[in-house]
Amino acid sequence: MKPGLPETADILHRVRQQLILAQVRIMELEDSRDGFSGKLDDVEKLLTDAQRLADAKADEAGHLAKVRDELQAQFEHMRHMQHVTNEALNQTRSQLAAAEKDRERLQQKIIALVDQATQLNQSIGRFRDDLAESQRVGATRLERISALEGEISGMKATRSWRWTRWFRPREGASGEKRP
Amino acid sequence: MSRFAEGRIQGEIESSRPLRAKDGHVSVTGWCFDKTLPEAPPVRLVTPVGMLAMTSRLDRADVPRLFPDNPSARRCGFVIEGTLPAGVYLASFEALADDGTWRCFQRLSLMVEEPPFIAVIDEPIAAGILRDRVRVGGWALHPGAPLAELVLRYGHREIPCVSGRARPEIPAQFPGVTHAASSGFESRDYLVAGHGPVRARGRLASGRTVIANTKLVFSIATDENHGPELDLTAPRAALPYEKKGTAAAPVPTARPLNILFILHGDFGSNSALHVAALANELAAAGHACAAAVPQGIETLSHHTQPAFRGLTFAEANESLAFPDGRGPDLIHAWTTRENVRRLTQTLSERHHAKVVVHLEDNEMEVLALTLGRNVSELEKLTPNELDRSIPGDLSHPIRAREFLTASNGITVITEKLREFVPVGHPCVTLHPAADERYFFSRPIPTDFRRALNLPPNATVLFYHGNVHASNAAEVRELYAAVLQLNREGLPAILIRAGLDRWDFLGSLSEKVVPFVLNLGQILHHYLPSLMALADIFVQPGKPDAFNDYRFPSKLPEFFSIGRPVVLPRTNLGASVRHGIDAYVLDNADATGIARAIHELRSDRALYDRLATGAAAFAAGHFNWRNTAEALAKFYAELTA
């Protein structure tokens, strides 16, 4: 014998039971949805915070990158300046070397001149000594001349013109004017 | 292992990274020592929202091995625990140097989660299963904000609670949470029938919903509304709800049109199913579509993701603008019903729109059946008598003909309807289909059938659709067939969906009640899951002046589910192959239906062949994309 159908009242009970169980599931899912929705809100908020922090760090990184770029530019400038300075330094060094050579050459010249001057000074000294000697001799001689001329004057004053006549040409030779 | 410091301080954070404070509770471990000090220095965590001090010191055997010359490395482990407000912060870990200053030895990001909502029921019991209809109480606290509302949920039940009760002992567990002292609650009423773990569901002042599980299960077997016949602890048998993805987009149209469909009923009608499917396809191709209904604009919600605008006749009459600011290029009047005809004529004159009229029934036969008069009687009525007799939702014999003649084109749902098309008038046949997102081959949900206590040999039939004057007699035959099958010893049950707008059972009503499960009106996209319960689908009827011209919209849906379909040799039944695509009856009356079901239940091979044949026929013949393309081509020709 084939099993018969249950009464539709029973089927309806079972449908109602399944509807209730479906409602149970719906409410579970609703709670899951709302729970997840809340958590999603929290995560969204945390994500926003994380993004904000990341933005701040990105700003900082941007600022640091800008600073680095500026430093890099300054570095490049400095490197250029260093190059320029090096070039100038090298040039200066070359000039300095050349000047050094000039200096040495001049030094040699100076030394030679100093030697020369020393010699000249020595010569001058000698000349000065000679001159002094000559002046002394000259003075001595002038004194003798003066003395002699005094003697002559005395003689002329005391002797007759005829007697002193042979002196007279000498007066011209000694440069003295005759009164 | 990394080393930090300003030379002297060495340290490391060892908690897994990124640092997370689950449920708002911070717990960080690590080690830190100062090379110049005999003891490891105090450590702290500093964030923009607060500071947490070291909570414990730990011995470390591993660190001294790495730093054998530093005696302070032996006891340099530390733990920092505490709570911080939810957020993401840059946390500095600092050690106290011998000069009294705090030196940072590591910086890490720290994510602090929101503290959880906690609910505890402790009255009358705190854990286990509660089976008594009593009031319950406990405390529920969200550390972030006080509760504005609290309910307890278990099974299918929701019990409101009075919250804000004093619980002076709770603040000790939550220092700093001022509202903890008023976290007590009590259920407003005694528990009612329901079974399941208890969850507290709170609403905060901000509107946010918070949910917490408790340690209790309520298992209340009965109450005033739940008798012992309902076993609330029974396992749930799932009725699968499946949906397929949307098909790839069609080829975009080169000349988009503004198209207005005018329906005679609301969006819950069978006609609306066809209009919605076509409008969605046309919209996907780039046309702008709108559909006007005389009333029941809210029934647009019966359609999932409509790609067209829905509006009432009044709205269409008052202001009808498409997204490009223009009016309709074309109005597709869905039937010649009077309400449709009147609005179509008004709007087509106003907007200079082309008019296409759709025929889906032998309107004269529908009119005659609805008015309870035969066609010849109606033809003898004077125009004035007709005007008085015909309501707005039926076709006027004379005006309908004039309407068709004046139209620019006509669409028909069956070839037979071309008989009503004026000679030489442009006409195209629109082959209906089923929404392939929902209607496809589905296995029988045996678990659910078992849950309904249906014996394995029971035959489940399923019929959806409303009963009205036009189909009342043939649906009655289906009910009679079910009764006959049971009387003949073949257990059969009919699952019905839809509304009975006509008293069609008469004396059969009492007798058939035990075998009919009437579910009432069900949203269309939920139907396939229920249809899957069926063993066989039956379209009752016979060739006649009504059926020969129609195309029951249920048929593509029956075929798509992949079960044998029994149908009369009329409309679609005239073109399917008996024994291959379907079981075709010359007359699908009670006797014929019962005979067909007997045969299908006794011949497994035939059953399987027709189940496969139905699905194959659906795949080969029912496709809204194809129909919409034919319609778009027709529109293009009319508006060229």
Side-chain angles (χ1 to χ4, degrees):
Chain A
M1 185 179 167
K2 292 178 180 176
L5 272 178
E7 289 287 319
T8 44
D10 177 56
I11 298 176
L12 274 174
H13 284 314
R14 288 171 182 277
V15 169
R16 189 176 170 212
Q17 179 177 290
Q18 287 302 321
L19 285 173
I20 287 172
L21 294 170
Q23 178 65 23
V24 171
R25 185 68 186 135
I26 288 168
M27 289 171 70
E28 287 170 355
L29 291 172
E30 274 178 2
D31 285 351
S32 294
R33 179 200 62 196
D34 293 339
F36 284 129
S37 174
K39 283 182 180 166
L40 186 64
D41 289 345
D42 291 343
V43 171
E44 289 265 2
K45 186 176 170 297
L46 290 174
L47 185 62
T48 304
D49 283 354
Q51 201 170 1
R52 200 171 287 134
L53 186 62
D55 285 347
K57 292 296 148 194
D59 281 349
E60 285 177 20
H63 175 69
L64 291 174
K66 191 180 166 195
V67 169
R68 185 203 61 196
D69 289 347
E70 286 173 1
L71 288 173
Q72 183 71 28
Q74 285 178 16
F75 170 74
E76 294 296 334
H77 176 68
M78 295 298 286
R79 194 161 66 173
H80 172 70
M81 292 307 294
Q82 185 188 30
H83 173 72
V84 171
T85 307
N86 277 340
E87 288 295 307
L89 188 61
N90 289 337
Q91 191 179 1
T92 306
R93 279 183 180 137
S94 301
Q95 290 173 343
L96 187 63
E100 183 68 18
K101 282 180 183 171
D102 286 348
R103 188 188 64 79
E104 284 177 4
R105 187 170 46 78
L106 290 172
Q107 186 73 24
Q108 293 300 324
K109 277 186 180 178
I110 289 167
I111 291 169
L113 287 172
V114 167
D115 288 348
Q116 205 172 359
T118 305
Q119 289 171 2
L120 287 173
N121 278 337
Q122 288 173 350
S123 298
I124 290 169
R126 280 196 307 273
F127 289 147
R128 198 173 280 142
D129 291 345
D130 290 347
L131 181 60
E133 182 61 25
S134 298
Q135 283 175 332
R136 189 184 58 80
V137 170
T140 305
R141 285 180 180 168
L142 278 175
E143 285 175 8
R144 179 63 182 161
I145 289 168
S146 294
L148 290 173
E149 283 177 346
E151 286 178 15
I152 290 169
S153 290
M155 280 178 21
K156 277 185 348 184
T158 62
R159 298 304 180 259
S160 69
W161 188 85
R162 217 174 264 171
W163 198 79
T164 62
R165 187 181 48 148
W166 58 283
F167 289 140
R168 307 241 186 245
R170 287 196 174 268
E171 286 177 354
S174 65
E176 285 186 11
K177 288 184 177 177
R178 295 287 130 193
Chain B
M1 183 178 285
S2 62
R3 288 153 200 185
F4 303 90
E6 305 160 338
R8 307 177 338 213
I9 298 175
Q10 303 275 345
E12 179 72 67
I13 301 302
E14 295 176 314
S15 298
S16 60
R17 297 181 202 170
L19 293 181
R20 300 281 291 271
K22 196 165 171 54
D23 297 337
H25 181 72
V26 179
S27 178
V28 180
T29 58
W31 57 266
C32 178
F33 67 88
D34 187 328
K35 289 176 181 175
T36 63
L37 297 177
E39 301 289 335
V43 174
R44 68 181 189 180
L45 185 161
V46 178
T47 71
V49 293
M51 185 270 291
L52 294 178
M54 182 177 75
T55 45
S56 60
R57 171 68 73 195
L58 303 173
D59 286 331
R60 293 294 296 247
D62 52 342
V63 182
R65 283 198 290 273
L66 290 168
F67 303 96
D69 300 331
N70 294 281
S72 61
R74 279 195 297 276
R75 192 165 166 73
C76 66
F78 66 83
V79 178
I80 298 173
E81 288 188 311
T83 57
L84 286 171
V88 179
Y89 312 109
L90 191 63
S92 295
F93 292 90
E94 299 177 345
L96 185 62
D98 55 352
D99 62 359
T101 60
W102 288 92
R103 309 277 177 86
C104 175
F105 62 92
Q106 190 153 14
R107 276 198 182 88
L108 291 170
S109 65
L110 170 66
M111 180 177 283
V112 183
E113 294 179 0
E114 190 78 24
F117 172 52
I118 300 168
V120 173
I121 296 171
D122 49 17
E123 186 64 38
I125 57 173
I129 302 175
L130 180 63
R131 302 180 192 278
D132 304 321
R133 294 196 61 190
V134 294
R135 280 200 172 100
V136 297
W139 60 272
L141 179 69
H142 188 280
L147 292 172
E149 189 181 294
L150 180 72
V151 297
L152 294 178
R153 280 187 160 196
Y154 60 101
H156 64 301
R157 292 305 199 173
E158 184 174 285
I159 306 292
C161 295
V162 179
S163 55
R165 296 274 173 98
R167 290 296 295 251
E169 77 282 16
I170 303 301
Q173 298 177 45
F174 301 92
V177 181
T178 53
H179 54 280
S182 56
S183 59
F185 71 84
E186 188 182 41
S187 64
R188 282 187 196 279
D189 210 339
Y190 296 106
L191 300 180
V192 287
H195 171 81
V198 186
R199 305 177 299 278
R201 186 181 165 94
R203 188 173 58 78
L204 306 181
S206 63
R208 177 180 166 179
T209 299
V210 288
I211 292 153
N213 292 323
T214 71
K215 294 178 178 174
L216 273 179
V217 172
F218 290 166
S219 190
I220 316 297
T222 59
D223 64 13
E224 298 82 354
N225 301 309
H226 293 70
E229 72 282 356
L230 283 175
D231 179 7
L232 301 177
T233 63
R236 186 175 74 90
L239 197 56
Y241 176 78
E242 292 176 76
K243 183 187 172 190
K244 280 187 177 174
T246 310
V251 178
T253 179
R255 195 161 58 86
L257 296 172
N258 290 344
I259 302 161
L260 173 67
F261 294 91
I262 299 180
L263 290 93
H264 61 82
D266 64 25
F267 287 111
S269 66
N270 287 335
S271 298
L273 290 175
H274 293 187
V275 167
L278 290 169
N280 285 340
E281 286 289 343
L282 291 167
H287 298 286
C289 296
V293 291
Q295 68 280 320
I297 187 69
E298 69 283 356
T299 53
L300 184 61
S301 63
H302 291 202
H303 300 267
T304 47
Q305 298 175 315
F308 57 89
R309 179 188 167 201
L311 67 171
T312 61
F313 279 15
E315 289 168 336
N317 202 8
E318 191 176 320
S319 170
L320 179 61
F322 282 76
D324 62 2
R326 299 185 302 111
D329 299 305
L330 188 145
I331 297 173
H332 203 150
W334 214 256
T335 76
T336 55
R337 306 284 167 99
E338 274 298 275
N339 53 0
V340 174
R341 181 189 65 79
R342 284 195 287 266
L343 183 65
T344 302
Q345 289 180 335
T346 302
L347 295 180
S348 63
E349 284 172 20
R350 185 182 302 163
H351 298 286
H352 310 290
K354 302 280 186 187
V355 173
V356 174
V357 182
H358 182 68
L359 297 179
E360 59 183 13
D361 280 305
N362 179 348
E363 292 291 335
M364 281 300 288
E365 193 64 22
V366 172
L367 179 66
L369 287 167
T370 308
L371 297 181
R373 309 171 80 160
N374 61 46
V375 174
S376 57
E377 274 182 73
L378 292 173
E379 284 173 345
K380 288 175 188 165
L381 295 176
T382 64
N384 283 343
E385 288 172 324
L386 282 172
D387 287 347
R388 282 198 300 274
S389 312
I390 296 169
D393 59 349
L394 290 172
S395 292
H396 189 292
I398 300 167
R399 294 207 174 92
R401 273 197 298 274
E402 292 169 351
F403 188 40
L404 287 170
T405 305
S407 70
N408 300 98
I410 295 169
T411 57
V412 292
I413 200 170
T414 63
E415 294 298 323
K416 187 84 173 160
L417 282 165
R418 285 179 182 261
E419 291 174 13
F420 301 109
V421 177
V423 177
H425 225 68
C427 180
V428 69
T429 303
L430 301 181
H431 299 287
D435 189 336
E436 58 189 25
R437 291 174 298 174
Y438 303 102
F439 292 90
F440 47 83
S441 288
R442 292 166 182 261
I444 292 174
T446 49
D447 286 352
F448 196 84
R449 277 179 58 146
R450 203 175 298 124
L452 296 185
N453 205 22
L454 291 172
N457 66 333
T459 298
V460 176
L461 306 178
F462 188 97
Y463 186 85
H464 59 292
N466 302 334
V467 176
H468 41 76
S470 309
N471 67 354
E474 60 196 36
V475 178
R476 190 178 191 279
E477 290 297 312
L478 175 60
Y479 277 64
V482 172
L483 185 59
Q484 185 177 330
L485 285 166
N486 282 286
R487 281 177 175 167
E488 290 168 355
L490 182 68
I493 186 166
L494 173 65
I495 300 177
R496 246 316 291 290
L499 300 176
D500 295 343
R501 290 178 171 147
W502 205 265
D503 182 12
F504 65 102
L505 288 175
S507 61
L508 205 59
S509 179
E510 297 260 326
K511 298 170 193 163
V512 84
V513 159
F515 311 113
V516 177
L517 193 63
N518 206 330
L519 302 179
Q521 194 165 30
I522 287 173
L523 286 181
H524 205 71
H525 58 272
Y526 290 135
L527 282 174
S529 300
L530 293 164
M531 291 171 74
L533 287 165
D535 296 297
I536 297 166
F537 293 115
V538 176
Q539 173 64 40
K542 61 183 179 184
D544 60 21
F546 174 65
N547 278 323
D548 291 350
Y549 293 89
R550 70 190 287 240
F551 189 109
S553 60
K554 290 177 287 299
L555 286 178
E557 296 165 356
F558 283 166
F559 278 86
S560 301
I561 299 295
R563 304 282 191 281
V565 179
V566 177
L567 76 174
R569 198 180 302 282
T570 180
N571 52 66
L572 183 65
S575 56
V576 297
R577 297 168 297 178
H578 173 63
I580 298 171
D581 304 319
Y583 195 109
V584 184
L585 291 166
D586 290 334
N587 184 357
D589 60 0
T591 306
I593 293 167
R595 191 180 69 242
I597 290 172
H598 270 297
E599 189 177 343
L600 285 165
R601 296 307 277 175
S602 59
D603 186 345
R604 186 70 207 184
L606 175 65
Y607 181 93
D608 290 342
R609 189 167 71 245
L610 291 192
T612 308
F617 188 84
H621 293 80
F622 304 134
N623 186 299
W624 278 121
R625 173 70 52 85
N626 293 344
T627 305
E629 285 173 357
L631 180 60
K633 186 165 175 266
F634 187 61
Y635 287 163
E637 288 166 1
L638 293 179
T639 56

